[in-house]
Amino acid sequence: EDQVTQSPEALRLQEGESSSLNCSYTVSGLRGLFWYRQDPGKGPEFLFTLYSAGEEKEKERLKATLTKKESFLHITAPKPEDSATYLCAVLSGAAGNKLTFGGGTRVLVKP
Amino acid sequence: DGGITQSPKYLFRKEGQNVTLSCEQNLNHDAMYWYRQDPGQGLRLIYYSQIVNDFQKGDIAEGYSVSREKKESFPLTVTSAQKNPTAFYLCASQSRGGSAGETQYFGPGTRLLVL
């Protein structure tokens, strides 16, 4: 059974204070690892897909990296508008087309 | 303007009542999904459909039903058998390869509350 664990559960940052979120996973045949951003009361917004170890993707202040056991979402010099819950999910060969989600990391960036 | 729409935004259910949540997509995606999200928790899969007229149970299907008569539409019915329906319901559709890979895209959600 696929498992995804995100840490920490919550993160409080000062504006400009860079940090990283962790997504650890155990799957049988990784087909893709996905990062989403979710604002309160809204649907998740797609950020990145990573397919193989060593892959990196960037978007503005966010950078996602992937190893064989975990993924990191690095937030560089965050701004208050980066406050959100960040969700990680995996798609595996064993699970067909079903995503397995982690519990999310709530990020609060204070000015 | 391509995307996924869900309606209503808020829905109130009375005891013993069945209610239906709407999900429509114009992304030409074959696969569609329903998830439930409870406060402080991750998303849990209720039902999914890979193709029209076919659907499969997810991890928490009891008390729910779906239909897939059109590619664009995947309505979810919360039946009276679901004893704890209060949650945020999210619909998603998935691309199949191409530049978007196998990414799932989400609608804005429906919040269901019990009166």
Side-chain angles (χ1 to χ4, degrees):
Chain A
E1 183 179 327
D2 300 343
Q3 290 189 328
V4 180
T5 303
Q6 291 188 245
S7 62
E9 288 187 6
L11 190 59
R12 295 166 66 99
L13 302 171
Q14 286 297 129
E15 184 171 2
E17 178 189 0
S18 300
S19 188
S20 296
L21 285 56
N22 179 264
C23 172
S24 297
Y25 63 91
T26 54
V27 298
S28 178
L30 181 70
R31 286 164 54 189
L33 184 141
F34 304 83
W35 281 99
Y36 292 86
R37 169 196 169 120
Q38 186 176 24
D39 292 306
K42 297 190 176 181
E45 174 190 346
F46 170 69
L47 293 173
F48 305 109
T49 306
L50 302 167
Y51 293 102
S52 57
E55 190 173 359
E56 298 182 351
K57 289 196 176 170
E58 287 188 71
K59 180 180 180 180
E60 296 181 354
R61 294 175 294 282
L62 300 176
K63 178 180 178 180
T65 62
L66 182 66
T67 72
K68 289 185 178 179
K69 293 183 178 180
E70 57 192 349
S71 177
F72 292 94
L73 184 66
H74 307 279
I75 311 178
T76 302
K79 297 182 178 182
E81 53 262 42
D82 294 322
S83 297
T85 295
Y86 291 86
L87 300 172
C88 170
V90 296
L91 184 67
S92 74
N97 281 331
K98 297 188 292 181
L99 285 180
T100 300
F101 281 85
T105 295
R106 296 188 310 278
V107 174
L108 176 62
V109 182
K110 305 189 81 175
Chain B
D1 200 12
I4 303 171
T5 57
Q6 291 186 242
S7 62
K9 186 172 182 179
Y10 296 96
L11 186 57
F12 299 91
R13 194 190 90 162
K14 295 180 181 178
E15 200 76 34
Q17 185 182 39
N18 292 353
V19 292
T20 297
L21 286 62
S22 169
C23 178
E24 304 276 334
Q25 56 100 359
N26 61 4
L27 300 169
N28 199 34
H29 288 168
D30 287 311
M32 296 185 74
Y33 302 78
W34 275 105
Y35 293 91
R36 170 180 173 142
Q37 187 175 35
D38 293 284
Q41 296 191 29
L43 278 66
R44 292 184 291 168
L45 182 65
I46 305 173
Y47 267 98
Y48 64 107
S49 169
Q50 309 266 38
I51 196 169
V52 174
N53 292 322
D54 187 40
F55 49 83
Q56 288 80 38
K57 293 182 179 180
D59 301 318
I60 55 165
E62 185 174 350
Y64 300 98
S65 66
V66 294
S67 63
R68 186 86 187 276
E69 298 176 1
K70 297 188 301 181
K71 186 176 184 178
E72 301 79 17
S73 178
F74 191 39
L76 173 73
T77 296
V78 184
T79 74
S80 57
Q82 173 49 245
K83 298 306 179 187
N84 184 24
T86 297
F88 191 48
Y89 290 86
L90 289 160
C91 177
S93 69
Q94 182 175 343
S95 57
R96 292 281 193 89
S99 60
E102 295 180 279
T103 303
Q104 286 190 19
Y105 296 92
F106 286 84
T110 292
R111 187 165 299 281
L112 177 60
L113 299 165
V114 177
L115 292 176

